[in-house]
Amino acid sequence: MRRVALLAALASCGRSAPPLEAAAGGPARAPAVEGSAPAAAAPPALPPARERDGCWGAELPAAPAARLEALGSRCAPGLRRLFDEASLVNVAAPGEASVPLPPLPPGACLRAAAVSPEGPVSLALVEGAADEVALDAHAAFSLVPIEGPLCLGPEGRATLKLRRAGPERPAQPPGRVWVQAWASPSAR
């Protein structure tokens, strides 16, 4: 079942999809997660290159939201955004935060990415209650699953876990992390 759904999601490559609508019928909104959005800052320098080229290509935009948009079009073609706009999450170093995804139908395929101008962030995809099914961490961006979309089991629930490593710096504000997730079009 997962393989069929994955093939269907990949078959629609190259087509742009509008944001996925939440189960309640309206556009999904990113959940509020700790704190408020910081004031807009100048975009960071270009992100470091990943060790190997994948769906993302050789170059990505520097601004976090633009980088997520590019990752979505390159690494999740045919999948729909789960949030209208990338979710901004504040994560202290060391620390972690969770971003629950809207309920999805069984077998829905998904992929997610996280970008932080303040350094590497670990992104884990947790299916159901506690099964961590994918993990990635890099300074440029984190993408789960790195190999391609993952199709969920019968529960249809997933959460993204963000982790930042590093020494505790009480005087320093939490690091900003932008997150976006994409799911198969049949996930309505």
Side-chain angles (χ1 to χ4, degrees), residues 30 64-66 68-69 81 83-89 177-181:
L68 281 175
E69 190 67 30
R81 291 186 310 256
F83 306 123
D84 288 334
E85 295 179 4
S87 178
L88 177 59
V89 182
V177 181
W178 281 262
V179 180
Q180 182 60 275

Side-chain angles (χ1 to χ4, degrees), residues 12 33 57 71 77 107 141 155-156 159 165 174 180:
S12 59
V33 181
L71 285 167
F141 61 87
E155 195 174 316
T159 300
Q180 182 60 275

Side-chain angles (χ1 to χ4, degrees), residues 60-188:
L60 288 168
R67 197 174 324 160
L68 281 175
E69 190 67 30
L71 285 167
S73 64
R74 296 176 191 178
C75 299
L79 302 182
R80 295 179 185 218
R81 291 186 310 256
L82 289 180
F83 306 123
D84 288 334
E85 295 179 4
S87 178
L88 177 59
V89 182
N90 292 310
V91 184
E96 67 176 50
S98 295
V99 179
L101 298 179
L104 298 167
C109 299
L110 65 92
R111 205 159 194 194
V115 172
S116 177
E118 280 93 17
V121 62
S122 166
L123 175 64
L125 175 61
V126 178
E127 184 176 2
D131 292 335
E132 196 172 280
V133 294
L135 176 68
D136 187 37
H138 192 271
F141 61 87
S142 297
L143 178 69
V144 291
I146 195 76
E147 308 82 27
L150 172 83
C151 299
L152 296 175
E155 195 174 316
R157 292 205 175 270
T159 300
L160 301 175
K161 287 207 179 218
L162 303 161
R163 292 183 194 101
R164 294 182 60 86
E168 189 171 339
R169 298 179 188 163
Q172 187 174 0
R176 299 165 299 159
V177 181
W178 281 262
V179 180
Q180 182 60 275
W182 304 270
S184 50
S186 62
R188 290 185 182 224

Side-chain angles (χ1 to χ4, degrees), residues 25-56:
R29 297 279 182 232
V33 181
E34 185 192 351
S36 60
L46 287 176
R50 295 279 313 227
E51 289 77 30
R52 63 179 179 85
D53 261 356
C55 57
W56 51 88

